[in-house]
């Protein structure tokens, strides 16, 4: 509404099906409704129509960031057990564990929603092992990123996404 973002026509059911079959993305209901109403385009926005390597990379960023933190910042989730001494084994173990946590679906830049969860989940800002709540829900996140009056302070809400929520700062 404030003209900060270019909005194209929303994704059709056929396009949602293509994204699901090509990329394995299961949108939460509010994220799906958001993209059905209109698709924001431009830098930082996932290109759900063109897909390709850029979208694949944006989808992998949360996991790739955690793996980077395992290798370079000594990150380790205690629920993974004892950290292997050899880095290649630590990375293999972390990748195995991360393949079993909820997939995060890109919203904008480093903002992500959990795949397939019920609507109203907080948007998480994920950069390596720096995980923060960026919006109480999708609407709050968009308002915080692009709205006129910026809400004061971080959203007062708790995230409940396996693994990711345990590392929110």
């Amino acid at each position: 509404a404030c003209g900060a973002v270019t909005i194209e026509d929303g994704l059709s059911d056929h396009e949602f099906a293509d994204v699901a079959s090509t990329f394995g993305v299961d949108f939460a209901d509010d994220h799906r409704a958001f993209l059905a109403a209109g698709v924001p385009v431009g830098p930082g926005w996932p290109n759900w129509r063109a897909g390709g390597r850029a979208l694949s990379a944006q989808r992998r960023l949360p996991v790739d960031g955690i793996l980077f933190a395992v290798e370079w910042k000594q990150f380790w989730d205690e629920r993974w057990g004892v950290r292997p001494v050899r880095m290649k084994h630590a990375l293999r173990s972390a990748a195995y564990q991360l393949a079993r946590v909820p997939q995060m679906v890109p919203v904008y830049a480093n903002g992500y929603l959990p795949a397939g969860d019920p609507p109203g989940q907080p948007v998480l800002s994920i950069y390596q092992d720096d995980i923060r709540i960026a919006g109480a829900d999708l609407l709050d996140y968009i308002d915080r990123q692009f709205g006129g009056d910026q809400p004061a302070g971080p959203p007062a809400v708790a995230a409940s996404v396996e693994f990711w929520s345990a590392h929110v700062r």
Side-chain angles (χ1 to χ4, degrees):
C2 63
V5 177
T6 301
I7 307 290
E8 292 183 349
D9 290 340
L11 294 178
S12 67
D13 289 341
H14 177 73
E15 288 172 312
F16 279 114
D18 282 349
V19 169
S21 67
T22 303
F23 297 101
V25 173
D26 180 20
F27 292 101
D29 292 344
D30 52 351
H31 198 179
R32 182 182 175 96
F34 175 76
L35 293 171
V39 177
V41 294
W45 293 101
N47 189 338
W48 296 111
R49 287 198 166 102
R53 282 191 271 191
L55 180 58
S56 292
Q58 193 171 13
R59 286 189 51 252
R60 283 192 321 269
L61 276 176
V63 167
D64 288 349
I66 294 295
L67 293 173
F68 177 90
V70 166
E71 184 171 8
W72 297 101
K73 298 165 105 181
Q74 297 304 308
F75 176 87
W76 194 254
D77 187 300
E78 62 187 30
R79 292 167 293 181
W80 296 348
V82 176
R83 181 187 175 110
V85 175
R86 295 192 59 165
M87 184 57 68
K88 73 178 187 176
H89 296 144
L91 287 169
R92 187 175 340 165
S93 179
Y96 173 84
Q97 296 294 336
L98 290 167
R100 282 142 186 79
V101 302
Q103 176 187 19
M104 299 304 288
V105 179
V107 176
Y108 170 74
N110 60 340
Y112 290 82
L113 276 170
D117 268 0
Q121 292 292 312
V123 175
L124 299 181
S125 170
I126 303 173
Y127 181 76
Q128 296 173 12
D129 62 336
D130 182 15
I131 303 171
R132 300 174 189 270
I133 296 177
D137 56 22
L138 181 56
L139 183 58
D140 181 58
Y141 174 73
I142 296 299
D143 192 43
R144 287 173 181 273
Q145 293 294 314
F146 301 102
D149 296 328
Q150 298 299 314
V157 65
S160 62
V161 184
E162 181 188 344
F163 174 78
W164 303 102
S165 298
H167 300 286
V168 169
R169 297 179 184 186

